[in-house]
Amino acid sequence: MNKQLLLDNLRSIPDFPKKGINFRDVTTLYKNGECMKEMTDALYELYKDKGITKIVGIESRGFVMASALAARLGCGVVLARKPGKLPATVIKESFSKEYGVDTVEMHIDAINSNDVVLIHDDLLATGGTAKATYKLVKHFNPKQIYINFIIEITDEGLHGRDEFKDVELTTLLTI
């Protein structure tokens, strides 16, 4: 994978969404076809032999690569969304993140015990959103769970990876 291509196309926005946060904007990677191909190919190589049956994309930037990879792997996509966005009965988990408290929800029929699940999001910082999603997925008792992020941020004293000692976690880039 051409990590330099991805790094060169990644936008950083200081003081967003609040002062002191250096936001890594992956939308600049998504709009570049070469970056999309690099990321999709890299994710496919990581997960092609894992038997993935469902990819849980975390709202909203996680939906992009979850869908691209699911199409390539021939598996389903499950949405982990903010409250009130899913139309059927849901389960939910609240969590703290670096700039507030939030909740994530999934449909109660999204995953079954025969599934092998990959949870995907764009960025790992504190790990709050992904940890809440991981707890929701564990509720379904699937055969196996994996977690992936495009970017893991460690240069700002963030240790999100520490939240996931009992699951295989991969990232494409570490900053």
Side-chain angles (χ1 to χ4, degrees), residues 86-137:
L86 295 171
T89 306
V90 298
I91 59 170
K92 60 179 109 186
E93 184 77 30
S94 293
F95 61 97
S96 297
K97 54 185 184 179
E98 58 271 31
Y99 43 84
V101 176
D102 212 342
T103 300
V104 65
E105 298 180 342
M106 291 173 49
H107 282 136
I108 61 167
D109 61 354
I111 296 168
N112 66 57
S113 61
N114 291 318
D115 282 320
V116 175
V117 178
L118 170 63
I119 298 168
H120 174 78
D121 204 2
D122 65 325
L123 186 120
L124 174 60
T126 63
T129 309
K131 186 68 171 189
T133 304
Y134 178 56
K135 287 178 181 179
L136 288 178
V137 171

Side-chain angles (χ1 to χ4, degrees), residues 3-148:
K3 290 183 180 185
Q4 195 59 51
L5 171 71
L6 300 181
L7 290 169
D8 289 347
N9 283 277
L10 180 65
R11 178 170 39 203
S12 291
I13 302 171
D15 298 323
F16 182 84
K18 72 175 198 172
K19 190 164 183 59
I21 294 180
N22 188 19
F23 186 82
R24 299 319 196 287
D25 181 14
V26 298
T27 64
T28 53
L29 300 178
Y30 296 156
K31 74 178 184 177
N32 181 308
E34 191 177 358
C35 291
M36 281 295 293
K37 182 173 180 353
E38 284 290 324
M39 292 185 297
T40 305
D41 288 350
L43 290 171
Y44 177 76
E45 287 302 317
L46 282 170
Y47 294 104
K48 67 182 181 184
D49 297 324
K50 302 280 189 182
I52 305 293
T53 58
K54 303 265 175 69
I55 302 176
V56 175
I58 300 175
E59 184 159 333
S60 65
R61 291 176 300 273
F63 297 168
V64 176
M65 293 311 300
S67 297
L69 182 58
R72 186 95 180 262
L73 291 174
C75 67
V77 174
V78 172
L79 305 180
R81 300 221 51 196
K82 294 179 181 177
K85 301 291 186 181
L86 295 171
T89 306
V90 298
I91 59 170
K92 60 179 109 186
E93 184 77 30
S94 293
F95 61 97
S96 297
K97 54 185 184 179
E98 58 271 31
Y99 43 84
V101 176
D102 212 342
T103 300
V104 65
E105 298 180 342
M106 291 173 49
H107 282 136
I108 61 167
D109 61 354
I111 296 168
N112 66 57
S113 61
N114 291 318
D115 282 320
V116 175
V117 178
L118 170 63
I119 298 168
H120 174 78
D121 204 2
D122 65 325
L123 186 120
L124 174 60
T126 63
T129 309
K131 186 68 171 189
T133 304
Y134 178 56
K135 287 178 181 179
L136 288 178
V137 171
K138 284 177 75 171
H139 168 81
F140 296 102
N141 197 29
K143 284 183 184 177
Q144 182 73 41
I145 303 171
Y146 301 96
I147 301 177
N148 172 265

